[in-house]
Amino acid sequence: MLIKRGPNGIDLPYASEITPRHVFESRRRFVQQLALGTIAGGALLEMATREAFAQGAQKLAAKPNPAFVVMDKPTSYKDATTYNNFYEFGTDKSDPARYAGSLKPRPWTIAIEGEVNKPMTLDIDSLMKLAPLEERIYRLRCVEGWSMVVPWVGFSLSELIKKVEPTGNAKFVEFVTLADKAQMPGLSSPVLKWPYVEGLRMDEANHPLTLLTVGMYGEVLPNQNGAPVRIVVPWKYGFKSAKSIVKIRFTSSQPKTAWNVSAPSEYGFYSNVNPDVDHPRWSQASERRIGEDGLFAKKRKTLMFNGYSEVASLYTGMDLKKQF
Ligand code: MTE
């Protein structure tokens, strides 16, 4: 990512001191409370400030899924929709909220193709009906050293994968996102090779945590967060979570992903959140929670796989320092 340098020449992620903050309570206890009804998913969402909520966005009926809820306080809607990375609209954090109004999320089609027996092209409304929508509260950790907690709406990507019947040659899934100069002013800048492409290995794509995402905070996705459909892969750095997807391609070889192509020594294909593997230009041991930890506050400790330890078995036998 483009990281701005502070006046002393230090990368800004270093600007605040690193001290672990042990605020992560037991996920299990939280889920138990949810199951008992002591905490309602809806009440949790009320904890998020909602200043920008009344934009008249379409509401989505989604059932909270307590198996996929972190106990951390959700980030406010305002922060989650005004501090974004979406380089198609500019590289400043405020650019997507400012400029993504030109994105037209409807009508929208998404093509699912490649190594599948049943390729299909779906319009966004049909895609949203493929499986029941769930609300899941995930942490998202950006490679730049900040994180958020967002109530997303969608369903496991595996639901879609089942429907297209991948062939035996399908080893990876590639996500190709919209690149339309007429809608996306940032495309005139060569900051990345467009379109923005991301990818996952098949077992990662099929992991139930991997969320095909169509909404957040109970409404359709705002443009700046990747309308009308994106992926959210919560155990990986945020750049793996491609926004505004137009094509999902099943491939036999590893996709060439945008960040990996532009800076292979800095952004690997896997990009699992890993406090033990530094980015070449900064530490990944800690993070700043947007809206909670001020720029000069002490940062909180980053957890292996962003706390999603259930994915560890996907990487058995791999050297995660080499395959970062
Ligand atoms: N998808 C596209 N198409 N273009 C982008 O620039 N940025 C990525 C990811 N998906 C990006 C993208 C990065 S770096 C991050 S951290 C997340 O989106 C941010 O998601 P959010 O703005 O919803 O928090």
Side-chain angles (χ1 to χ4, degrees):
M1 306 295 119
L2 292 177
I3 294 281
K4 287 187 181 149
R5 290 190 171 248
N8 51 5
I10 295 171
D11 289 334
L12 278 180
Y14 280 130
S16 45
E17 285 306 312
I18 297 162
T19 301
R21 181 178 155 183
H22 302 286
V23 294
F24 297 101
E25 293 172 17
S26 136
R27 195 169 170 206
R28 185 183 296 144
R29 201 183 90 221
F30 183 72
V31 169
Q32 276 167 352
Q33 284 177 306
L34 264 179
L36 289 169
T38 344
I39 303 175
L44 244 189
L45 295 189
E46 284 309 310
M47 286 158 63
T49 32
R50 309 288 292 273
E51 300 96 290
F53 199 58
Q55 291 172 338
Q58 187 194 327
K59 301 253 186 303
L60 291 176
K63 207 169 160 214
N65 185 337
F68 295 99
V69 165
V70 292
M71 43 62 59
D72 311 31
K73 184 175 153 213
T75 300
S76 76
Y77 181 89
K78 187 175 180 199
D79 283 334
T81 57
T82 55
Y83 190 93
N84 301 103
N85 275 335
F86 199 168
Y87 279 13
E88 288 86 333
F89 296 99
T91 54
D92 274 4
K93 295 287 173 275
S94 57
D95 284 344
R98 199 171 293 152
Y99 302 119
S102 51
L103 175 71
K104 291 190 198 69
R106 272 185 168 74
W108 190 277
T109 52
I110 174 162
I112 302 125
E113 55 181 49
E115 292 290 348
V116 290
N117 290 322
K118 292 189 173 163
M120 46 179 86
T121 300
L122 294 167
D123 67 62
I124 185 64
D125 297 306
S126 317
L127 178 81
M128 284 168 73
K129 287 183 198 130
L130 270 191
L133 296 180
E134 293 180 2
E135 180 175 82
R136 302 182 179 184
I137 305 180
Y138 282 168
R139 291 185 205 101
L140 191 71
R141 162 67 155 85
C142 180
V143 74
E144 295 163 344
W146 51 267
S147 60
M148 292 195 186
V149 178
V150 174
W152 302 105
V153 175
F155 50 79
S156 291
L157 177 66
S158 61
E159 298 284 347
L160 172 69
I161 296 179
K162 264 195 310 217
K163 300 242 170 8
V164 294
E165 296 179 9
T167 70
N169 294 330
K171 304 280 183 262
F172 296 89
V173 187
E174 180 182 53
F175 305 96
V176 182
T177 73
L178 184 71
D180 179 2
K181 274 194 173 161
Q183 299 180 59
M184 301 173 136
L187 293 185
S188 50
S189 152
V191 59
L192 282 173
K193 198 167 162 281
W194 311 109
Y196 191 104
V197 171
E198 258 310 332
L200 295 172
R201 211 171 57 188
M202 272 302 272
D203 56 348
E204 298 177 320
N206 264 319
H207 193 282
L209 274 169
T210 302
L211 192 69
L212 193 67
T213 306
V214 295
M216 60 195 280
Y217 299 86
E219 296 185 343
V220 295
L221 281 175
N223 290 356
Q224 60 267 39
N225 292 87
V229 57
R230 68 179 294 175
I231 204 81
V232 178
V233 194
W235 71 94
K236 291 178 179 282
Y237 292 119
F239 68 89
K240 298 295 288 181
S241 294
K243 296 175 168 181
S244 303
I245 296 168
V246 291
K247 200 181 282 180
I248 299 182
R249 229 159 56 86
F250 291 76
T251 62
S252 54
S253 52
Q254 189 173 297
K256 291 189 178 12
T257 58
W259 280 105
N260 185 234
V261 166
S262 83
S265 61
E266 302 196 4
Y267 309 109
F269 176 78
Y270 287 95
S271 289
N272 292 316
V273 174
N274 190 339
D276 302 328
V277 177
D278 287 347
H279 183 280
R281 290 184 283 137
W282 60 85
S283 160
Q284 293 290 24
S286 64
E287 69 201 53
R288 187 166 67 87
R289 184 65 49 82
I290 297 300
E292 290 183 54
D293 307 335
L295 199 54
F296 299 103
K298 287 175 177 167
K299 297 211 267 183
R300 64 186 70 198
K301 194 178 165 191
T302 286
L303 303 174
M304 185 66 200
F305 299 121
N306 205 17
Y308 295 94
S309 52
E310 61 266 50
V311 302
S313 61
L314 300 180
Y315 307 104
T316 308
M318 282 173 64
D319 180 345
L320 297 182
K321 289 206 157 81
K322 290 198 177 116
Q323 288 175 295
F324 59 92

